Structures are given as C-alpha cells and as structure tokens.
Amino acid sequence: MGCGRVGATLAGQLEDSGHSVSVVDQNPDAFRRLPAEFEGRRVTGLGFDRGALAQAGIEEAHAYAAVSSGDNSNIIGARVAREVFGVSNVVARIYDPRRAEVYSRLGIPTVATVPWTADQVLRRMMPMGPFSEYQDPSSHVSLVRNDIHPGWVGREIDLVELRTGARVAYLTRLGTGLVPEPRAVLQENDVVHLMVDTDRIAAAQRVLSRPPRTGEED
C-alpha cells in the first residue's frame, strides 16, 4: 500500500527477489515510480478498501506493507489486512513515533521513518547501547544488538546468558555473523545479538555495560 519512493523501491526489490507483488495506491500517476520492468499488479484505490485489496490478491498474500504517507491510513490498512484477511505478516510505516507504542499493543510492527534514520546515523558514529533489530508481532520478545564492556572479552557465551537471562542468538565478528557454541569465548570488537524479553532489554544492557564481577563464573 503506497507507491511513493519507499513503496516503489520495496516493490522493485521484492520482485527482483522472485516474489509476486501487488501495489495499491489511490493516485494512478504514482505507479510511474515503479521500475520500468515491474510486472506486478497495479491497483488504483485505497489500501484499506476491501475491494481494492481483493483485487490486489490479498487472499493469497504472505505479507502486507503499509507505506503510504498517512499514519492513519497505514495502521487501518495493516489492521484490515490482518484482522479481516488473516495476513499475519504485516508492517506499517509511521511518521509520528508517539503512536508506535499504541500500534505495538495492537500487534502491528511499525517503522518510524525519522527516528529510525537518525538512530542509524548515530549508531554508525558511536556506541549507544541496545538497538532493537526485531520484535515478534506481540512485541513481547526482541532481538537486540548490544554494546558490551571490554571486560567481557575472553568470557564465555554461557556466562553472558546466565547473567542477562537472555539467549545469544548470534555474534557479528569482523563483519560476519556466526552462531557460537555455549563455551565459545567473546573476542574484541564482537557484536552480541541477544534474544530477550522486551521488558528486560534495559536490565540485560546494564549487565553488559560493566565488566563481570570476580567470581561470576561460578
């Protein structure tokens, strides 16, 4: 839903990856933003209108992305896709970050454009603690990228899990992802990606932001 710059780019990338794609926009001129070779459906209409969605093939859809320029339209479209047509994999773009918590309680994953962009820039400039990379639809479980204190270098993965109450999903080491064994040892510049209860993100980061105390291996 939405054929602005984000929607057109997303549609092109999905089709290049081998997916069948339908694009819904109330302005037919917007489809000119699509790549010249785009072969998917173009449906003129509102992205939360049942008729337009049916025409786009919503009954067979694996996923629905609401990326129009209107927050209200995006969240309504995402809810219709999920609650009326049973599409479990939905995401809504929002401009007002204050609404993100409300949408999260509805089980709708959201992308807040401006805060996300600013956060990405800042995180390329300096360490800033935990960064959420994924949340399940209920928002109860998160995958977060964590900065760690240098004192954790040389310590084992199972100690990280014991002290944080989280699971180390994977590490990024020298730019490459790897799934470590429990007795694997953290190396300098490792990036730790934790799977953790969302309400324990801050507590886990507090543990990792300071060196482990002497005797914590026991």
Side-chain angles (χ1 to χ4, degrees):
M1 169 187 170
C3 197
R5 287 178 296 177
V6 172
T9 300
L10 181 61
Q13 290 176 342
L14 286 168
E15 190 170 75
D16 287 345
S17 299
H19 298 285
S20 298
V21 183
S22 295
V23 182
V24 182
D25 198 291
Q26 59 183 332
N27 180 7
D29 291 336
F31 298 127
R32 292 184 296 183
R33 297 189 179 95
L34 291 166
E37 64 277 12
F38 182 74
E39 298 180 354
R41 301 183 195 179
R42 299 167 172 85
V43 177
T44 302
L46 297 173
F48 50 82
D49 178 78
R50 298 186 187 190
L53 290 173
Q55 186 180 349
I58 191 72
E59 292 91 347
E60 293 81 36
H62 168 71
Y64 174 95
V67 291
S68 77
S69 59
D71 284 5
N72 290 336
S73 296
N74 287 342
I75 197 61
I76 292 172
R79 293 193 66 181
V80 169
R82 168 168 288 174
E83 297 170 12
V84 176
F85 293 100
V87 180
S88 59
N89 189 12
V90 302
V91 62
R93 177 191 190 186
I94 63 169
Y95 289 86
D96 183 355
R98 294 172 297 180
R99 300 184 180 186
E101 183 177 355
V102 176
Y103 298 161
S104 178
R105 291 173 182 172
L106 296 173
I108 304 294
T110 59
V111 177
T113 307
V114 174
W116 184 88
T117 302
D119 186 76
Q120 291 295 305
V121 172
L122 287 171
R123 287 182 180 281
R124 282 158 175 75
M125 295 172 64
M126 62 189 71
M128 293 185 63
F131 168 64
S132 181
E133 299 177 303
Y134 169 81
Q135 282 191 343
D136 79 299
S138 71
S139 299
H140 290 161
V141 178
S142 295
L143 176 67
V144 295
R145 185 175 70 231
N146 291 78
D147 297 317
I148 61 173
H149 189 278
W152 283 93
V153 173
R155 303 304 181 101
E156 296 177 344
I157 295 298
D158 56 0
L159 180 62
V160 173
E161 296 184 337
L162 176 65
R163 294 304 164 189
T164 61
R167 295 290 178 267
V168 176
Y170 69 101
L171 303 177
T172 300
R173 178 171 292 168
L174 300 177
T176 300
L178 62 92
V179 178
E181 296 293 331
R183 304 295 291 182
V185 173
L186 288 172
Q187 297 183 12
E188 188 175 3
N189 297 321
D190 278 355
V191 178
V192 177
H193 305 262
L194 290 180
M195 192 65 72
V196 60
D197 291 337
T198 301
D199 60 3
R200 286 192 50 80
I201 291 175
Q205 181 57 35
R206 282 196 296 272
V207 172
L208 296 177
S209 65
R210 64 177 191 270
R213 297 187 300 273
T214 302
E216 282 193 326
E217 295 89 345
D218 298 332

